[in-house]
Amino acid sequence: MVREYSYEKDGNKFLTPHFQVWEFRSFSDDENRLTTDKILIDDNLPNILEKIFEKLNCSIIRISSGYRSDDFDEVIGGFLGYHSKGMAADIMCYDKDNNLIDSKQVCIEAEDLGVLGIG
């Protein structure tokens, strides 16, 4: 089920032990200006990220792109796909020494967990 959150009202709410609503926000530039207060998040997405977190024994997972408002998705050349539905996230995973985990390893582990739509 996809739920709608408010960045202002719900931003600090924990969805899982390691992920908060604000991390899935739609932002437009390096200054993290919001494109909308609304954040859509599928209930399954934070749980999937939590499983990846555990499987890779991460220190942190940074969400570089979560929910994208329709306007923002179109501006960056998107096609109103899973990001605009709150069902996708681009992530960077870090190990316990805060080193970036190779994206190939992240993809392999995510596939082993049954995650679909890995790009």
Side-chain angles (χ1 to χ4, degrees), residues 76-87:
I76 64 168
F79 54 91
L80 301 181
Y82 288 106
H83 281 275
S84 64
K85 295 175 185 173
M87 301 172 74

Side-chain angles (χ1 to χ4, degrees), residues 1-3 5 15-16 19 24 40-53 63 82 85-89 113-116:
M1 171 182 221
V2 176
R3 297 183 194 275
Y5 297 93
L15 302 168
T16 67
F19 298 100
F24 294 86
L40 299 179
I41 306 171
D42 186 287
D43 290 338
N44 292 322
L45 184 56
N47 295 321
I48 289 168
L49 296 178
E50 195 68 40
K51 288 177 184 175
I52 293 170
F53 190 100
I63 299 172
Y82 288 106
K85 295 175 185 173
M87 301 172 74
L113 289 169
V115 176
L116 303 175

Side-chain angles (χ1 to χ4, degrees), residues 41-110:
I41 306 171
D42 186 287
D43 290 338
N44 292 322
L45 184 56
N47 295 321
I48 289 168
L49 296 178
E50 195 68 40
K51 288 177 184 175
I52 293 170
F53 190 100
E54 292 173 16
K55 179 129 174 122
L56 290 169
N57 197 25
C58 294
S59 63
I60 191 168
I61 291 180
R62 293 199 190 276
I63 299 172
S64 57
S65 183
Y67 170 69
R68 297 178 190 153
S69 64
D70 291 349
D71 292 345
F72 180 56
D73 204 30
E74 289 177 357
V75 166
I76 64 168
F79 54 91
L80 301 181
Y82 288 106
H83 281 275
S84 64
K85 295 175 185 173
M87 301 172 74
D90 299 337
I91 60 173
M92 296 178 295
C93 300
Y94 294 84
D95 66 19
K96 293 297 182 186
D97 294 322
N98 291 322
N99 296 310
L100 185 63
I101 299 171
D102 184 82
S103 59
K104 182 177 180 178
Q105 183 65 33
V106 174
C107 290
I108 289 169
E109 299 299 340

